[in-house]
Amino acid sequence: MQPIFRILRKDLYHYRWAWVFFIVVSVIKILLNGTSLGWISPNFYDAWKPLIESLPWLMGFILVVLAVQDETLGTPDAYWTSRPVRRLHTLLAKLLFCGIVLCGIFVLSDAIILILNKGAHRLPWLLLSLLTATAWLWAVILLAAQTRSLARFALMLLGIGIGLQILMAALMSFAAFGGWMDDCAFDPGILPEDVSIWSIALIQYSLWTVAGGLLLILYYQTRRLICWLGLIPIALCSA
């Protein structure tokens, strides 16, 4: 456990600007959403709400990439191989850092906002948002661990987006030429029709959180790109 906490302490100190920023933003968010101070007019609230809601997500996205790339797995001479730290210990240290700085601060601020607005009975719903954030966190870490810089990460993300668009266009063109566009729809129909949207979201994000976490552990343990093939059965189960 000592190597894990050593990496965690290093990240907390190196990125101290990040968690200070998130704490300040969370306090402002609590003031805007959880209190009724007289100096906060509706126009002031509407002016700052988009920035307060979107900027932390963007900064958190960048922070995860930078923190993971500090001990990247992208090259055989990565920094962590020069010291006796296991790959899974490195992964656990990064997960603890992201959990403390991102999930911990955001969930705590949302809980305070609910309590101040007399919505303490809705606190269990925060678990669903935490599950959603965890599923996306796995994806960002998986991509960041395969690149050595933020620019290369952005290039990989752009390439994946373009590739998915080309794949969807090719499939739709193939279906259009074959005359299957109107006659066939991919709907396995496993779930009952009366399942609520919240239940579907819970099933989907639970699947991607559990399966994505196992895939991330497998990649850190083996460092093989063939782990990407594990996304195929996950996607089929999700569909």
Side-chain angles (χ1 to χ4, degrees):
M1 295 296 291
Q2 191 174 19
I4 298 175
F5 290 112
R6 185 169 65 245
I7 297 176
L8 177 61
R9 286 194 300 268
K10 184 265 297 180
D11 286 337
L12 289 174
Y13 177 78
H14 185 64
Y15 296 105
R16 56 191 180 276
W17 57 267
W19 52 264
V20 171
F21 166 79
F22 290 129
I23 291 176
V24 172
V25 172
S26 297
V27 171
I28 297 175
K29 185 178 178 181
I30 292 172
L31 291 176
L32 292 177
N33 297 280
T35 64
S36 56
L37 296 179
W39 56 272
I40 299 183
S41 64
N43 293 333
F44 181 88
Y45 177 81
D46 294 336
W48 285 95
K49 183 178 179 180
L51 183 63
I52 297 299
E53 294 292 339
S54 59
L55 185 59
W57 287 101
L58 178 61
M59 293 296 295
F61 184 85
I62 296 175
L63 177 64
V64 172
V65 177
L66 293 177
V68 171
Q69 289 177 347
D70 277 349
E71 281 80 24
T72 180
L73 303 179
T75 57
D77 58 344
Y79 177 63
W80 63 266
T81 59
S82 63
R83 52 189 176 159
V85 178
R86 296 181 180 179
R87 296 169 182 168
L88 293 184
H89 286 178
T90 303
L91 174 60
L92 183 57
K94 300 303 176 181
L95 294 180
L96 287 175
F97 172 73
C98 296
I100 294 173
V101 177
L102 297 178
C103 299
I105 296 177
F106 286 146
V107 171
L108 180 60
S109 63
D110 290 340
I112 294 175
I113 291 173
L114 283 177
I115 294 174
L116 291 177
N117 286 284
K118 299 180 180 180
H121 61 283
R122 300 185 61 185
L123 288 178
W125 289 102
L126 287 178
L127 297 177
L128 183 58
S129 63
L130 184 60
L131 198 63
T132 304
T134 302
W136 284 106
L137 182 63
W138 294 164
V140 176
I141 293 178
L142 182 62
L143 293 178
Q146 302 175 45
T147 54
R148 289 175 290 176
S149 66
L150 187 60
R152 294 190 180 187
F153 175 86
L155 185 61
M156 174 183 285
L157 201 62
L158 179 63
I160 293 176
I162 294 175
L164 290 176
Q165 290 291 334
I166 294 175
L167 179 61
M168 291 298 298
L171 291 176
M172 293 179 66
S173 300
F174 183 74
F177 282 123
W180 304 330
M181 186 67 75
D182 299 327
D183 301 332
C184 180
F186 183 72
D187 184 12
I190 297 177
L191 295 177
E193 295 183 357
D194 58 347
V195 175
S196 65
I197 299 298
W198 285 105
S199 298
I200 294 176
L202 180 61
I203 294 172
Q204 287 284 356
Y205 283 111
S206 297
L207 170 65
W208 283 102
T209 299
V210 175
L214 293 176
L215 188 64
L216 185 62
I217 292 174
L218 180 63
Y219 176 74
Y220 260 79
Q221 186 68 23
T222 62
R223 207 171 64 85
R224 295 182 182 275
L225 294 179
I226 197 173
C227 296
W228 279 79
L229 295 178
L231 292 174
I232 297 178
I234 300 176
L236 291 176
C237 291
S238 176

